[in-house]
Amino acid sequence: MRDSTNAGKPILNVFDLSQYYYCPRKVYFLTVMGVPATPRKKMSYGKKEQEKERKRVTERKDVFGIPRDEVEEVLHKVYVEDRKIGLIGQVDTVLKLKNGTILPVDVKYTNFVRVYRNWKKQLTAYALLLSSEFGCDVNEGILYFPKQKEHVRVDISKEDKDFVLMDLEKLRGLMASEHIPRKTDEKKCRYCEVARYCV
Ligand code: SF4
């Protein structure tokens, strides 16, 4: 049974949302059918790399491309929640800059340095949560690619945030529905942790 907001809506987490963007059918299996997601080797490897990355950050002159003397604090594994919008999540890293700016950093262990739509949505969801946590507007995030040692700064607009809020409602509708969503692009199925229950 999921926790719910004051309005009785189920509380979602950012992981659900990112899975929804990957494939709505996948999030249906995970959240409605309760299918366990078997972690792939790549995911476990990525987690180990993230641990190493946390140590490396303390040794660098800049922090994800930002000069160290502009950074007030680097926080890791930050749990955030906003019961009003019904969303919780854990941000890989949060940068607090001396000028008051708050930036979520999401680490992506992948072969491609690209800003995929679902990754930007995930950063936007973190921006919404951090805005509420720190009481300030969060209008930018960073994707960090440890394999390539590259980072990409991503602008997050009010419109991006409004779309994510609408998507949360769509996701709640999907979870309340008894209709299993259609299959997605087959290329994604090759990397899907619930493929054996679906294909
Ligand atoms: S196997 Fe393909 S269609 Fe099925 S849930 Fe996974 S990504 Fe979606």
Side-chain angles (χ1 to χ4, degrees):
M1 184 80 175
R2 278 184 176 247
D3 209 353
S4 56
T5 62
N6 291 344
K9 296 177 189 174
I11 302 269
L12 302 177
N13 64 54
V14 178
F15 177 76
D16 294 332
L17 197 63
S18 64
Q19 298 306 312
Y20 172 71
Y21 294 124
Y22 186 81
C23 171
R25 190 173 168 102
K26 182 179 178 186
V27 81
Y28 187 90
F29 276 111
L30 292 171
T31 61
V32 181
M33 310 285 281
V35 162
T38 317
R40 286 174 283 118
K41 271 188 190 164
K42 192 176 163 191
M43 283 172 76
S44 315
Y45 188 54
K47 282 203 185 307
K48 279 184 201 151
E49 281 298 308
Q50 282 181 20
E51 290 296 334
K52 286 186 202 161
E53 194 51 42
R54 280 184 202 115
K55 288 186 192 121
R56 286 180 205 134
V57 160
T58 60
E59 294 155 9
R60 293 214 181 100
K61 282 189 193 137
D62 64 56
V63 186
F64 302 108
I66 297 173
R68 183 164 288 282
D69 60 1
E70 291 179 21
V71 179
E72 186 180 309
E73 204 174 354
V74 183
L75 308 164
H76 295 293
K77 289 193 174 180
V78 181
Y79 174 83
V80 263
E81 64 174 44
D82 183 336
R83 300 251 148 192
K84 211 164 122 205
I85 61 173
L87 186 64
I88 58 174
Q90 184 174 276
V91 194
D92 290 336
T93 300
V94 176
L95 301 185
K96 280 175 81 176
L97 305 192
K98 288 181 180 164
N99 67 6
T101 304
I102 301 288
L103 290 160
V105 181
D106 202 28
V107 180
K108 297 294 182 196
Y109 190 79
T110 168
N111 291 332
F112 308 103
V113 177
R114 272 184 219 154
V115 182
Y116 288 106
R117 178 176 154 271
N118 56 326
W119 292 352
K120 176 162 179 173
K121 295 269 192 183
Q122 196 178 347
L123 268 185
T124 306
Y126 290 141
L128 278 165
L129 288 169
L130 291 170
S131 296
S132 139
E133 179 78 20
F134 289 92
C136 63
D137 263 352
V138 177
N139 299 320
E140 202 181 353
I142 297 174
L143 288 176
Y144 181 67
F145 302 89
K147 205 170 167 188
Q148 297 81 1
K149 297 189 174 39
E150 286 187 39
H151 65 272
V152 178
R153 288 179 78 148
V154 181
D155 286 329
I156 298 165
S157 67
K158 180 178 180 310
E159 199 183 27
D160 294 325
K161 291 176 190 167
D162 288 344
F163 275 120
V164 164
L165 292 174
M166 280 193 283
D167 293 335
L168 286 174
E169 290 311 308
K170 286 190 206 161
L171 176 52
R172 288 195 180 94
L174 181 152
M175 289 164 65
S177 154
E178 297 196 344
H179 298 291
I180 185 163
R182 280 182 303 177
K183 287 188 175 181
T184 188
D185 178 353
E186 271 189 22
K187 275 184 264 169
K188 290 185 176 175
C189 303
R190 278 186 246 148
Y191 306 98
C192 176
E193 299 91 333
V194 304
R196 67 191 173 115
Y197 300 95
C198 172
V199 179

